[in-house]
Amino acid sequence: MILIQNLNKSFGKLRVLQDLNLDIHNGKVTAILGPNGAGKTTLIKCLLGLVKPDSGSLKVNETSINGNAEYRHQIGYMPQIARYPDNLTVQEIIEMVKDIRGNPDETDEELYHAFGLESELLKKFKTLSGGNRQKVSAVLAFLFRPSVVFLDEPTAGLDPVSSSCLKDKIKREKDGGKTIILTSHIMSEIQELADKIVYIMDGDIQFEMTTSELLEATGEATLERAIARKMKGIAA
Amino acid sequence: MNTLKLIKYQLRDVLRSKWVFLYFLFFLVATDALFRFGGDGERVILSMMNIILLIIPLVSIMLGTMYLYNAREYIELMLSQPVKRSQLFIALFAALVLPMSTAVLLGVGLPFVWQGAIFTHAGSVLFLIFMGISLTVIFSSIAFFIALMTEDRIRGLGLSIVLWLFFAVVYDGLILLFIYFYSHYPLQQPVLILSMLNPLDLGRIALLIRFDASALMGFTGAVFQNFFGSTRGLLIVFAVMLTWMATPLLLGFRRFVMRDF
């Protein structure tokens, strides 16, 4: 459960988020969409505590985010570009994050096996390909069974097999009652995964509907067309 | 606890890259070579002083800036874990400064040990190494501050070079100019204060006085000798060096805790 109230953030003169209100419910996949530079990543970074909002309140599972770090035990995050220390091996990186999370017993290694990362364990991070870096980052996002997972363009750079592994994982976690927030530019992927679409433009929410509602309301077959039509309607 | 864990992994990463080792090797070879080219302890210390005052600030400020820029995505990832910003900052700084200081300590110290000069010049060698480590801390803090204030890498690195040039070259030029223009006035006090404001000058003068080379500096040298030679002067040197270490570090820390990533 995520509650965002009157969220404001400016970078200098640029107002990135303007008085944004949003509720995100448990057990759903929520897709945050919008044109480039609309404030999607900034919104996610506010929820992670990476970006400090100018005003407004943010709550994740009833805990206010006010510079405390403990609530992040409940959060998994897969960024657009992940970079860990270059000279550490994959094994050491996983070990490090486990160590910081207090070495919980019940880790979720499903993705790790699905991706076949065993063969990469002893390679240094700097020698990994872009796709394998994404895999490490995805594994870490789900490893500690967080109740909220943020995925920023999760399938970018993944091969089709790994990409569908990840999508299956997302569906399973949703059915298990996890809250999943994702951004992507691949509309077919959103159509496949998301229960709810939140469309952001100019720092505010333009519309917020379930995927099926959106398709019905616009009478289009694909999400890409539906959003294009919807945005035309708003502009007019 | 988290801080120590972070230091452990970060340190492992830093030690595996070759530059710390090269840095150590540079001091080791330079010090040993100076002995072999016929210097006695005293002369090696004076030559090493010049090398240290030039190289350490340059390497510390450049490496420190690049190190923090390179850690940018890593910082983002770690801050999305249950890690406090203060913990991560301390870990990042420690994992840079500890290996670099150790490189200075061992690189300069070891040749003195195996050449046997450590026994006759223990105080001076320790003072030299102390200055080296202080300069490492000072210029790494400045580097962190620059990298946290400037979003653009190229501009940050440029600023680092300019700042080093200022402290290493331009500042002395300005003092000479000042002395030249006001040569009719008694300048000992103002020059003393001005040299305190530059950690490099302060280091150089404190070392020269320590090594009794102040006779080379004429009347000003005598004034400096009076000041820096006393216990009170030495304490002030320590205090100023400490201020130089703490100020940019605290500013950088504040920035790190407040800023957006």
Side-chain angles (χ1 to χ4, degrees):
Chain A
M1 180 79 175
I2 294 173
L3 253 175
I4 303 171
Q5 279 170 337
N6 306 99
L7 184 66
N8 280 293
K9 179 68 194 177
S10 311
F11 292 123
K13 278 181 192 157
L14 187 72
R15 292 192 66 184
V16 185
L17 299 174
Q18 300 188 30
D19 227 13
L20 191 136
N21 291 287
L22 182 64
D23 293 1
I24 294 173
H25 300 288
N26 292 347
K28 291 268 187 314
V29 177
T30 306
I32 298 176
L33 304 182
N36 303 6
K40 290 169 291 185
T41 300
T42 305
L43 179 60
I44 290 180
K45 284 186 170 180
C46 280
L47 288 166
L48 288 166
L50 287 172
V51 168
K52 309 225 160 171
D54 299 334
S55 66
S57 96
L58 292 164
K59 280 183 184 168
V60 173
N61 293 340
E62 313 290 313
T63 323
S64 275
I65 303 172
N66 272 329
N68 78 13
E70 287 310 304
Y71 81 94
R72 289 188 219 123
H73 273 292
Q74 306 164 30
I75 285 183
Y77 171 49
M78 180 180 172
Q80 263 176 42
I81 301 160
R83 247 189 90 189
Y84 285 96
D86 276 343
N87 297 301
L88 295 188
T89 63
V90 173
Q91 187 168 23
E92 286 169 325
I93 288 166
I94 294 175
E95 217 173 88
M96 169 175 76
V97 182
K98 275 186 180 169
D99 220 1
I100 283 161
R101 294 261 189 166
N103 286 313
D105 300 325
E106 291 277 300
T107 51
D108 176 358
E109 297 184 356
E110 204 178 23
L111 261 187
Y112 168 75
H113 295 299
F115 285 151
L117 271 183
E118 290 91 342
S119 59
E120 309 288 320
L121 266 189
L122 298 178
K123 288 187 187 163
K124 285 183 180 176
F125 189 76
K126 67 176 167 195
T127 63
L128 293 187
S129 69
N132 282 334
R133 289 180 185 201
Q134 285 291 93
K135 286 183 201 165
V136 173
S137 168
V139 167
L140 286 171
F142 286 104
L143 195 62
F144 304 97
R145 305 182 187 279
S147 59
V148 181
V149 186
F150 294 96
L151 304 165
D152 203 349
E153 310 252 354
T155 58
L158 287 185
D159 61 74
V161 178
S162 313
S163 172
S164 54
C165 277
L166 182 57
K167 283 188 214 162
D168 289 341
K169 179 70 182 164
I170 293 172
K171 282 182 200 157
R172 270 199 303 280
E173 290 302 311
K174 176 189 80 171
D175 294 337
K178 300 279 171 68
T179 310
I180 291 168
I181 292 109
L182 110 138
T183 73
S184 177
H185 285 293
I186 308 167
M187 287 305 132
S188 58
E189 186 175 296
I190 301 284
Q191 193 169 0
E192 187 186 343
L193 292 172
D195 301 300
K196 201 170 174 191
I197 311 270
V198 175
Y199 196 90
I200 300 185
M201 211 168 103
D202 302 329
D204 202 2
I205 291 169
Q206 300 297 320
F207 62 84
E208 197 186 333
M209 337 173 87
T210 64
T211 314
S212 47
E213 270 173 12
L214 181 63
L215 290 174
E216 250 169 60
T218 51
E220 297 280 357
T222 64
L223 197 58
E224 191 161 9
R225 296 275 173 203
I227 288 175
R229 172 165 294 228
K230 179 87 182 164
M231 288 320 293
K232 240 179 236 164
I234 290 176
Chain B
M1 260 330 270
N2 263 349
T3 314
L4 287 180
K5 288 179 195 165
L6 287 167
I7 291 179
K8 183 177 104 186
Y9 290 100
Q10 188 70 21
L11 210 51
R12 203 183 284 175
D13 179 51
V14 170
L15 289 177
R16 275 190 200 155
S17 59
K18 292 167 200 91
W19 57 261
V20 178
F21 190 68
L22 286 175
Y23 188 59
F24 157 73
L25 222 56
F26 168 78
F27 286 118
L28 196 75
V29 170
T31 315
D32 194 57
L34 284 170
F35 271 112
R36 282 173 205 279
F37 288 137
D40 54 357
E42 189 103 352
R43 276 159 75 186
V44 174
I45 291 174
L46 276 174
S47 309
M48 277 317 287
M49 176 196 83
N50 284 320
I51 293 178
I52 280 181
L53 288 172
L54 202 69
I55 295 292
I56 289 185
L58 178 65
V59 174
S60 299
I61 203 167
M62 294 304 293
L63 270 180
T65 319
M66 277 194 297
Y67 167 83
L68 209 63
Y69 279 128
N70 281 337
R72 185 59 199 268
E73 290 92 353
Y74 167 71
I75 293 173
E76 278 182 29
L77 277 165
M78 280 300 116
L79 288 183
S80 69
Q81 303 291 340
V83 168
K84 287 204 186 81
R85 288 188 175 204
S86 50
Q87 296 172 332
L88 185 60
F89 182 84
I90 295 167
L92 284 168
F93 191 72
L96 176 70
V97 167
L98 285 179
M100 289 188 66
S101 301
T102 313
V104 174
L105 174 70
L106 296 181
V108 176
L110 286 179
F112 275 95
V113 173
W114 71 54
Q115 297 282 358
I118 188 84
F119 306 109
T120 43
H121 299 91
S124 303
V125 174
L126 284 179
F127 197 66
L128 181 70
I129 290 173
F130 164 78
M131 278 296 167
I133 292 176
S134 304
L135 289 174
T136 306
V137 176
I138 291 171
F139 282 87
S140 303
S141 322
I142 296 176
F144 266 45
F145 182 62
I146 290 175
L148 287 166
M149 292 304 287
T150 335
E151 201 69 29
D152 186 43
R153 281 168 200 242
I154 305 296
R155 193 180 290 179
L157 286 173
L159 202 61
S160 295
I161 295 183
V162 168
L163 216 63
W164 172 78
L165 265 178
F166 176 77
F167 281 129
V169 184
V170 178
Y171 194 87
D172 290 350
L174 290 178
I175 287 193
L176 282 178
L177 216 62
F178 173 78
I179 293 173
Y180 175 77
F181 278 123
Y182 294 94
S183 52
H184 300 302
Y185 300 90
L187 284 176
Q188 283 74 24
Q189 287 289 345
V191 169
L192 193 65
I193 292 166
L194 277 178
S195 44
M196 289 261 183
L197 296 177
N198 179 350
L200 274 178
D201 278 356
L202 183 62
R204 179 177 296 130
I205 294 167
L207 283 165
L208 282 176
I209 301 294
R210 173 83 216 175
F211 305 146
D212 289 331
S214 54
L216 300 174
M217 294 194 286
F219 179 57
T220 317
V223 173
F224 279 16
Q225 174 74 66
N226 248 341
F227 177 78
F228 288 106
S230 67
T231 319
R232 193 180 64 113
L234 208 63
L235 283 177
I236 291 177
V237 171
F238 277 111
V240 173
M241 284 308 240
L242 225 64
T243 314
W244 263 110
M245 290 183 220
T247 313
L249 196 60
L250 286 176
L251 286 173
F253 179 79
R254 236 191 58 172
R255 177 82 185 147
F256 190 85
V257 171
M258 308 286 276
R259 70 167 276 170
D260 299 322
F261 281 100

